[in-house]
Amino acid sequence: LALTTMTVSPNRRVIAVAERVNDRPQVTIYDLQSGKRRKTLQSESIKSNEIVSLLFSSDSKYLLTQGGAPDYTLIYWSWEKGKIMANIDVKPPTGPQANATVNQVSFNPQDNTQICAIGHGLFKMFRYAESALKPSQSLKQEHFNFTCHCWISEDRILAGTDQGKLFVIQNGEILHEIKIDIKVEPRLEIFFLCFNMLGCLLISSKSTFRSTF
């Protein structure tokens, strides 16, 4: 039994916990008030033994689960019903990038049908339509390892890398790079980004906090 990741719903009522149970991935959703289990989610479509990223939709009705290697299966759940709405193999780049991974997935906070997946040489957008997840945009930047991201508007995403770079991305294109106001050391990994009306919170491997906007 090993915990791999977790996330709290935006309405603060439940928490989703991803674990490796008997070498199989499992997500358990608990009520935060009572501590009781609300739902257990499992799928045979995931060939990996772990879930690497979880996120609830902004209305807390849906849940994304991102499996790890080898298939990197992304599943869109109606979690209260225990129902799979759609799934797709994200399939990160192969070949020279033997360490290719999917690191994080997210819903567009203003649109539950739009989803972003990032990773090593990977930045993909998907649209949920007609009971399927359909690729919509892809950023061709295979030399970047995107470690985290957050939505800063309806159509713009802020994405950080393991080299300390921070990009604003829109419609599958990098609009510009934001220069972080710190003395960047080699391999300064950005591993958490959060955006709200007050600005952007950034956490790096050097435990550095900065308000970017």
Side-chain angles (χ1 to χ4, degrees):
L1 181 67
L3 189 152
T4 58
T5 187
M6 66 177 68
T7 188
V8 175
S9 64
N11 62 14
R12 299 295 189 267
R13 293 179 181 174
V14 295
I15 182 171
V17 179
E19 298 169 295
R20 190 184 300 118
V21 181
N22 297 324
D23 212 36
R24 291 293 302 155
Q26 174 179 295
V27 176
T28 307
I29 299 172
Y30 297 94
D31 187 288
L32 283 173
Q33 292 297 320
S34 67
K36 294 182 178 180
R37 182 175 61 188
R38 290 277 304 274
K39 188 69 68 173
T40 299
L41 307 175
Q42 291 179 304
S43 172
E44 293 299 323
S45 64
I46 301 177
K47 306 306 180 193
S48 173
N49 66 357
E50 65 177 347
I51 300 295
V52 298
S53 182
L54 291 169
L55 195 75
F56 285 98
S57 58
S58 58
D59 59 8
S60 302
K61 293 181 179 180
Y62 303 101
L63 179 71
L64 293 176
T65 61
Q66 175 62 63
D71 55 330
Y72 294 96
T73 299
L74 172 63
I75 300 181
Y76 188 119
W77 298 86
S78 174
W79 69 266
E80 289 184 286
K81 298 177 181 178
K83 179 183 178 181
I84 294 177
M85 308 291 287
N87 65 277
I88 191 171
D89 290 350
V90 178
K91 296 179 181 177
T94 57
Q97 293 185 330
N99 296 323
T101 58
V102 180
N103 296 325
Q104 189 186 36
V105 290
S106 71
F107 282 102
N108 182 332
Q110 301 181 52
D111 183 356
N112 289 347
T113 68
Q114 192 172 29
I115 293 158
C116 179
I118 64 163
H120 191 174
L122 177 90
F123 187 102
K124 289 186 176 182
M125 304 291 293
F126 299 92
R127 177 71 68 176
Y128 175 72
E130 300 174 345
S131 301
L133 286 170
K134 302 178 180 181
S136 58
Q137 299 169 7
S138 181
L139 178 68
K140 299 185 183 301
Q141 294 289 344
E142 295 184 358
H143 56 291
F144 289 132
N145 180 9
F146 292 105
T147 52
C148 58
H149 71 287
C150 65
W151 294 78
I152 57 175
S153 72
E154 186 176 357
D155 60 355
R156 291 188 180 187
I157 291 173
L158 190 64
T161 76
D162 65 342
Q163 299 292 326
K165 293 184 179 294
L166 198 59
F167 299 104
V168 176
I169 299 171
Q170 182 180 32
N171 299 325
E173 296 184 0
I174 294 177
L175 295 185
H176 56 267
E177 179 180 354
I178 295 175
K179 301 297 182 181
I180 303 173
D181 186 23
I182 53 176
K183 294 181 180 179
V184 179
E185 300 181 35
R187 295 195 63 81
L188 177 69
E189 180 177 357
I190 300 172
F191 59 83
F192 179 81
L193 288 169
C194 181
F195 180 81
N196 59 29
M197 66 180 65
L198 299 178
C200 178
L201 173 65
L202 178 155
I203 303 177
S204 78
S205 56
K206 304 298 180 182
S207 297
T208 304
F209 300 77
R210 286 291 184 273
S211 179
T212 307
F213 299 119

